[in-house]
Amino acid sequence: MSQLDQQVARRLTRFYVMALTILAVLTVSGLLFIKDTINNHYDDSRVLNVAGRQRMLSQRLTKLSLLKTGGVTAMDNVHFDSLLTTWSTSHMQLRQGMLRMEKTYAVRKSAVIDSMFTRIDPAFESLRQSFVRINEAGSSPAQKQQALQVVLRDEPAYLRQMNDIVFRFDAESFARVRYLERVEWILGLTTLLVVLIEGLFIFRPVVRHTRNTVRMLSESEEALRLVNEQLETANRTLAVTNRKLTDTQTELLRIEDEKYQLQRAEDTVRSAALLEGQEEERRRFARELHDGIGQMLTGLKLQAGSIKKGPFTDEKQRTRFDELTALIQDTIQATRQISHNLMPSVLGDFGLGAALKLLADQSTQTSGIPVFYEGDDRNIRLSPATAISLYRIGQEALNNAVKHADPKAIWMTLNHTRNNVILTVADDGNGFTAPAAENVPLYSSSSKGLDNISTRVRLLNGELKISSKLKKGTKIWVKLTLTDPLLH
């Protein structure tokens, strides 16, 4: 019922507004047209007045010329120069179509008036030059008399043609007034016609539509009541269905969340087992290098030392033997370095701080880039898994900085309290613009470095922050919160 009432009200309002708009447009259009025509007529009156004044000014100039030439003192106190300037300027402005006085007036001219100004121009120019010559102080009496004769000869033609121009201005202005009267009649008749049309084609259909609407409302009231009852029953059924659907969706979300948590737990266990196996394999391989190949290389070095005590046939053999001995020593040193990188013994013997300091020193020697370590070298009692993970994080970050950042210096810091351990690795290298995230490459297109670091931090339940800017370096910050207080 309410919607139908609104529909009828909107339709009535639409028709009513449309009818009033048409009337308003016609009325306002007529008023604007009349106002514009009156303004133009005011301009026409001003132009007509100035055109008529031109005749009077030319006559006054002629009179003053006669008096000047005859040497008679004029009772007219207007300066000849000012009068001549006003007359000439007004003529030129009328000719150009723009009259500038207290404001600018548009001179509406027809082609006939333009041709009339063209015909009057020779007489005007002749009079103007003659007036100028009469007014010039350097002109001789004969020249002034000659100029006066020209004025007396051309002034009648000028006055006659100027009189025709004034009457033509007046005729065209009167024609525009008559045109205004016709337009007013047309607008009035159009308004009456629009009112008649609106009565026949707008208000009568609206009344008929309103009567039909009222009848339809009366007939549909009972049907609407029955439909409302059915709709209420359907709404109750729908509400029950919606509640069941909501419960089902909640249960599905819970199951999906449990599945996701289970997958994360499985991934964590799998990653931890993989890293543990990797570390165990590194430990075994380092032990085999140290105890197997390392011992054999040491024995080879000792045997070479015993051979060196014997005689050599020539100096060339001794030189080659010395080179062989140096090569054996370099191989022993490389084997020790590989064994240390795989599983540094200093980590188990002296703790994380000493291992990181030794890592910084070795990186400085091998890369030539100064690596500064700051932290407590005393043994921090951590679980073996935690200690080796923090060491690998520092090692990974340091290797990435050396390989990809092109830094001038690297800083490694290890801070700890009773419950927290904080490891930072910072450099002043190239940096990068990518956001610090677990799946974003650290220094190069490969994401392996950051993946390894983020995986180890996640397995330790720690926090990872990476900040970097182009040409301003990168900083990696790792914080572990330990359940057991640290023992120093």
Side-chain angles (χ1 to χ4, degrees):
M1 182 72 72
S2 177
Q3 294 181 355
L4 189 58
D5 291 345
Q6 293 178 2
Q7 181 182 0
V8 173
R10 285 196 298 268
R11 186 168 182 178
L12 289 173
T13 303
R14 185 168 62 251
F15 283 128
Y16 186 68
V17 169
M18 183 174 63
L20 290 182
T21 301
I22 294 174
L23 291 175
V25 168
L26 288 172
T27 303
V28 172
S29 300
L31 291 175
L32 292 176
F33 179 77
I34 293 172
K35 180 180 179 182
D36 183 67
T37 305
I38 291 175
N39 290 335
N40 291 333
H41 185 66
Y42 177 72
D43 290 353
D44 292 344
S45 300
R46 190 64 167 169
V47 169
L48 185 63
N49 178 268
V50 172
R53 189 185 63 179
Q54 287 295 96
R55 298 177 299 180
M56 179 269 295
L57 292 177
S58 66
Q59 291 174 344
R60 291 181 66 184
L61 287 170
T62 301
K63 181 187 72 173
L64 292 175
S65 297
L66 285 169
L67 295 177
K68 273 181 171 290
T69 305
V72 181
T73 302
M75 298 300 294
D76 195 341
N77 58 1
V78 178
H79 290 290
F80 192 91
D81 292 340
S82 175
L83 203 63
L84 179 59
T85 300
T86 301
W87 178 70
S88 300
T89 303
S90 298
H91 181 85
M92 296 304 297
Q93 291 179 355
L94 289 172
R95 183 76 171 87
Q96 295 171 358
M98 193 63 64
L99 190 63
R100 295 177 178 85
M101 301 182 72
E102 68 275 2
K103 69 171 188 176
T104 301
Y105 297 93
V107 180
R108 295 191 293 174
K109 301 181 297 178
S110 63
V112 176
I113 293 180
D114 281 333
S115 63
M116 295 174 72
F117 269 104
T118 302
R119 291 194 300 270
I120 201 176
D121 278 344
F124 165 77
E125 188 62 27
S126 176
L127 288 175
R128 188 186 68 80
Q129 292 178 1
S130 299
F131 288 146
V132 170
R133 184 171 299 172
I134 292 172
N135 189 47
E136 287 179 349
S139 298
S140 62
Q143 289 176 336
K144 291 183 179 182
Q145 284 293 335
Q146 184 180 2
L148 180 62
Q149 294 301 321
V150 173
V151 169
L152 295 176
R153 182 196 67 196
D154 293 338
E155 186 191 18
Y158 173 80
L159 290 176
R160 182 175 62 256
Q161 294 180 28
M162 197 64 208
N163 194 54
D164 294 339
I165 290 174
V166 171
F167 282 119
R168 184 64 188 181
F169 270 125
D170 184 62
E172 291 184 2
S173 176
F174 182 73
R176 283 191 284 271
V177 172
R178 295 298 301 271
Y179 173 74
L180 174 61
E181 292 178 354
R182 289 194 297 271
V183 171
E184 287 179 343
W185 275 103
I186 292 173
L187 289 176
L189 294 176
T190 303
T191 304
L192 294 177
L193 181 60
V194 168
V195 171
L196 180 61
I197 293 174
E198 288 176 349
L200 293 176
F201 296 100
I202 295 180
F203 292 108
R204 282 189 62 189
V206 167
V207 172
R208 185 168 57 253
H209 176 72
T210 304
R211 184 170 59 250
N212 294 334
T213 301
V214 173
R215 186 180 68 253
M216 290 171 61
L217 287 174
S218 300
E219 293 174 353
S220 62
E221 185 176 358
E222 182 62 23
L224 182 61
R225 185 182 62 80
L226 295 176
V227 170
N228 285 336
E229 292 178 355
Q230 295 175 359
L231 183 60
E232 185 177 357
T233 303
N235 286 335
R236 286 195 296 268
T237 304
L238 183 60
V240 174
T241 304
N242 286 337
R243 283 196 300 270
K244 292 181 179 180
L245 181 59
T246 302
D247 295 340
T248 303
Q249 290 177 344
T250 303
E251 183 64 19
L252 287 175
L253 290 175
R254 186 186 64 80
I255 294 173
E256 288 294 329
D257 184 66
E258 290 180 355
K259 182 179 178 181
Y260 173 72
Q261 295 298 333
L262 181 60
Q263 289 178 349
R264 282 185 59 86
E266 291 178 354
D267 291 341
T268 301
V269 172
R270 189 180 299 109
S271 299
L274 181 61
L275 291 176
E276 182 64 26
Q278 185 182 31
E279 293 298 336
E280 181 61 31
E281 184 65 20
R282 286 179 176 178
R283 191 179 294 108
R284 183 187 64 80
F285 189 54
R287 186 168 54 250
E288 289 182 358
L289 281 176
H290 184 272
D291 296 340
I293 297 176
Q295 294 300 326
M296 288 188 289
L297 290 173
T298 302
L300 181 61
K301 179 183 178 183
L302 293 175
Q303 291 182 10
S306 63
I307 294 174
K308 185 177 182 182
K309 297 177 181 179
F312 291 93
T313 57
D314 56 17
E315 189 62 28
K316 187 176 183 180
Q317 289 181 352
R318 177 176 293 279
T319 301
R320 289 180 178 178
F321 184 81
D322 290 339
E323 292 176 354
L324 179 61
T325 304
L327 179 59
I328 293 173
Q329 180 61 36
D330 292 341
T331 305
I332 293 173
Q333 186 64 31
T335 303
R336 289 176 179 174
Q337 184 63 38
I338 294 173
S339 176
H340 176 80
N341 290 337
L342 289 172
M343 184 56 63
S345 58
V346 68
L347 181 62
D349 296 337
F350 300 100
L352 178 61
L356 291 176
K357 187 176 186 305
L358 180 60
L359 176 63
D361 295 339
Q362 290 177 347
S363 297
T364 300
Q365 294 176 1
T366 57
S367 66
I369 300 173
V371 180
F372 303 100
Y373 172 78
E374 181 180 350
D376 196 343
D377 295 340
R378 292 178 299 171
N379 189 6
I380 305 174
R381 295 189 180 181
L382 301 171
S383 66
T386 302
I388 191 63
S389 294
L390 282 173
Y391 180 81
R392 295 301 183 198
I393 290 172
Q395 187 181 39
E396 189 73 44
L398 189 60
N399 289 337
N400 276 280
V402 171
K403 291 180 181 179
H404 306 291
D406 191 21
K408 296 180 180 178
I410 303 174
W411 296 267
M412 180 182 293
T413 305
L414 179 66
N415 297 319
H416 61 84
T417 61
R418 288 183 58 84
N419 296 315
N420 296 321
V421 176
I422 300 176
L423 174 65
T424 60
V425 179
D427 65 76
D428 58 356
N430 297 329
F432 58 95
T433 57
E438 296 182 357
N439 58 348
V440 176
L442 187 56
Y443 293 107
S444 64
S445 59
S446 173
S447 62
K448 184 177 179 181
L450 185 56
D451 286 342
N452 292 337
I453 293 175
S454 62
T455 299
R456 291 183 182 275
V457 173
R458 179 168 55 84
L459 292 177
L460 293 174
N461 293 322
E463 299 179 35
L464 172 63
K465 294 181 181 179
I466 300 176
S467 59
S468 180
K469 291 184 178 179
L470 283 177
K471 306 301 181 182
K472 294 186 178 180
T474 302
K475 181 178 180 181
I476 298 177
W477 181 89
V478 177
K479 177 181 178 182
L480 300 184
T481 301
L482 305 177
T483 55
D484 297 330
L486 294 175
L487 301 176
H488 304 289

